[in-house]
Amino acid sequence: MEGFIHNLNTMHSRGGNQVVFSSINYGTDTSAEGRMVIEELLKATIEGLGDRGEVPVFPIQIFKVKDGVSYSAADFEKAMKMENMEDAMKASYAAPNFDLLLKACQTTAKALFPNFMFLDTPFNQNEKWKADDPKRYIYELATMGCRTRVFENLAGEKSSLGRGNLSFTTLNMPRLAIEARIKAESLIEDERKKDAIEQKAKEIFIESIHSTASLIADQLYERYQYQRTALARQFPFMMGNDVWKGGGALNPNEQVGDVLRSGTLGIGFIGGHNAMVALYGEGHGHSRKAWDTLYEAVMEMNKVVDEYKEKYGLNYSVLATPAEGLSGRFTRMDRRKYGKIPGVTDRDYYVNSFHVDVKEPISIVDKIRREAPFHAITRGGHITYVELDGEARKTSAPLPKS
């Protein structure tokens, strides 16, 4: 496992001499061999790289939490009664991999990974999943990177295997909000009519969300048509080994064509918090009006997704964009155009997707509650995280409860 992690952090075989972006999902294999692999991977992760134990960036690790397999309420209660984490990990539990969940929490407290994905969430379930099926992993969701979600499928079986995201394009939500507010103020010149200005700005904003999402959907379709013309020999490993399902049946000089139909096309967005500040002067962490507007905006994107899924029979989805680099680029562009707007363009970055700004005075529980409903309407991928004031490894015991 040490070699596995080392190789994934040193192989510069990606375009631009970048380290390969890799991810691995685990947590539900209850075989002796599978448990050993998980345990050794967690051990190598917590020890880190080199003599100084540097935290490895890759692979992105996702621990799958499944009731009866890697979690149970009774096991949790039992573990929380233990004096320390070490004793808890040595105890026996009803869920065969609950001890590994505890180990994963301990690892996260030090090394930031793994992330956790909950397979019992209604939209993450597959009706074909059976506890006694040795190949049940086929019906378990797996994410690419920290959040990209590929599961529902208009062109085949509902599964993450043999598929991937073909491309995604991100909508600059703060810019649409800034322009909506400017336009509303020009239409309603009396500044005392604050409510009327905000209502008009919201209407313009939602309309802009719909039209921009539609433009993105058209762009993704045009790109998809181009992607289909690629030849199988351009992807010798992916197609030759049938890593991309159906690719193994292609001749080297055949176009990949319909093999890509199971892939996903993501309409992403960034800066929900900043957009709400542009509209209302406050974010959705504390303002119900801002929260409702942001939720409506993402639902509007879903309307476009449904429209284009029906139109082309392709797997469009709404993505809570992770692009940290893009968040800075959009901010710089908008600052040049609109100047410094407090809470909007006055920082070096826009806040990630629908996230409540971590600088907001809000508790961990309330932040999660505010963000949780957005997960169900961003089926292309999502994540929620919190930042702590102190060292998490000194307080890793409460992590399973989170």
Side-chain angles (χ1 to χ4, degrees):
M1 280 303 147
E2 290 177 359
F4 173 67
I5 292 176
H6 182 271
N7 286 340
L8 288 179
N9 284 276
T10 55
M11 290 190 303
H12 294 273
S13 59
R14 194 179 179 201
N17 200 33
Q18 300 177 40
V19 174
V20 176
F21 196 103
S22 56
S23 56
I24 182 171
N25 293 253
Y26 57 85
T28 56
D29 189 339
T30 57
S31 68
E33 297 83 359
R35 283 177 48 79
M36 180 180 67
V37 168
I38 295 170
E39 188 167 2
E40 290 302 314
L41 177 61
L42 292 171
K43 181 180 177 181
T45 301
I46 205 168
E47 289 178 354
L49 297 171
D51 295 336
R52 295 187 297 176
E54 294 183 17
V55 174
V57 177
F58 296 109
I60 304 296
Q61 299 181 38
I62 304 96
F63 190 97
K64 297 186 286 187
V65 181
K66 176 68 179 175
D67 193 30
V69 179
S70 56
Y71 178 83
S72 80
D75 289 340
F76 168 74
E77 293 297 332
K78 179 178 179 179
M80 291 302 100
K81 292 177 181 178
M82 301 284 182
E83 289 189 8
N84 54 63
M85 197 68 155
E86 285 67 29
D87 289 344
M89 287 188 290
K90 294 175 183 177
S92 59
Y93 298 100
N97 281 2
F98 184 77
D99 60 325
L100 294 177
L101 172 61
L102 295 178
K103 181 69 174 179
C105 290
Q106 185 186 52
T107 305
T108 296
K110 180 181 179 182
L112 300 180
F113 291 124
N115 298 329
F116 297 89
M117 178 171 60
F118 302 94
L119 298 182
D120 293 306
T121 302
F123 52 82
N124 286 343
Q125 295 179 16
N126 190 317
E127 58 280 358
K128 290 186 177 182
W129 190 93
K130 304 294 181 187
D132 58 354
D133 182 359
K135 292 189 176 182
R136 61 179 182 268
Y137 63 87
I138 295 173
Y139 308 112
E140 293 176 358
L141 172 65
T143 64
M144 298 189 300
C146 63
R147 77 185 74 194
T148 305
R149 183 179 180 278
V150 178
F151 201 38
E152 295 83 9
N153 190 6
L154 295 177
E157 188 163 53
K158 182 180 179 180
S159 175
S160 297
L161 298 187
R163 306 171 58 205
N165 174 254
L166 296 171
S167 53
F168 70 89
T169 298
T170 296
L171 179 154
N172 184 348
M173 198 171 272
R175 172 171 287 203
L176 298 183
I178 293 169
E179 293 185 346
R181 181 75 191 203
I182 291 172
K183 189 171 183 180
E185 289 176 351
S186 69
L187 293 172
I188 304 173
E189 297 181 357
D190 189 347
E191 295 182 359
R192 292 172 296 180
K193 296 181 178 179
K194 179 184 175 183
D195 291 343
I197 292 173
E198 288 183 350
Q199 180 59 34
K200 190 62 180 178
K202 175 190 172 181
E203 292 172 4
I204 297 170
F205 174 66
I206 297 298
E207 290 171 1
S208 298
I209 290 289
H210 189 99
S211 60
T212 306
S214 298
L215 176 65
I216 290 172
D218 286 330
Q219 177 262 325
L220 289 170
Y221 182 72
E222 184 174 331
R223 187 179 186 198
Y224 167 73
Q225 292 299 326
Y226 176 74
Q227 289 172 312
R228 287 172 54 89
T229 66
L231 303 179
R233 60 183 168 85
Q234 293 176 252
F235 315 98
F237 181 83
M238 295 288 288
M239 299 300 169
N241 293 285
D242 209 36
V243 174
W244 194 286
K245 191 175 181 180
L250 297 175
N251 293 322
N253 291 318
E254 277 189 272
Q255 293 185 354
V256 293
D258 284 345
V259 167
L260 299 185
R261 284 190 67 84
S262 288
T264 61
L265 302 170
I267 303 178
F269 68 98
I270 207 163
H273 163 81
N274 308 91
M276 295 307 99
V277 174
L279 288 177
Y280 302 117
E282 56 184 337
H284 61 297
H286 297 285
S287 168
R288 184 70 203 189
K289 178 167 53 179
W291 191 96
D292 288 342
T293 298
L294 181 57
Y295 191 86
E296 184 178 342
V298 180
M299 285 300 295
E300 196 67 26
M301 295 175 69
N302 275 276
K303 290 179 183 178
V304 174
V305 160
D306 291 341
E307 176 187 336
Y308 277 79
K309 285 166 74 173
E310 178 70 23
K311 184 176 182 179
Y312 294 124
L314 296 174
N315 293 302
Y316 282 91
S317 59
V318 177
L319 170 68
T321 299
E324 283 78 8
L326 182 61
S327 68
R329 179 171 176 267
F330 274 170
T331 309
R332 290 191 297 273
M333 291 168 61
D334 291 346
R335 188 185 301 120
R336 285 196 297 268
K337 185 171 183 178
Y338 305 106
K340 280 191 176 183
I341 303 173
V344 184
T345 62
D346 57 346
R347 292 189 194 164
D348 293 332
Y349 59 89
Y350 283 145
V351 175
N352 211 314
S353 60
F354 55 73
H355 290 175
V356 173
D357 188 357
V358 294
K359 297 184 183 298
E360 288 278 296
I362 189 170
S363 71
I364 289 174
V365 173
D366 285 340
K367 183 178 188 295
I368 292 172
R369 283 176 176 162
R370 287 283 185 172
E371 295 176 2
F374 288 93
H375 287 229
I377 58 174
T378 50
R379 301 289 180 91
H382 46 251
I383 193 172
T384 281
Y385 67 87
V386 296
E387 293 189 4
L388 306 178
D389 291 333
E391 290 186 76
R393 59 183 171 179
K394 292 181 179 179
T395 56
S396 58
L399 280 175
K401 188 175 182 179
S402 303

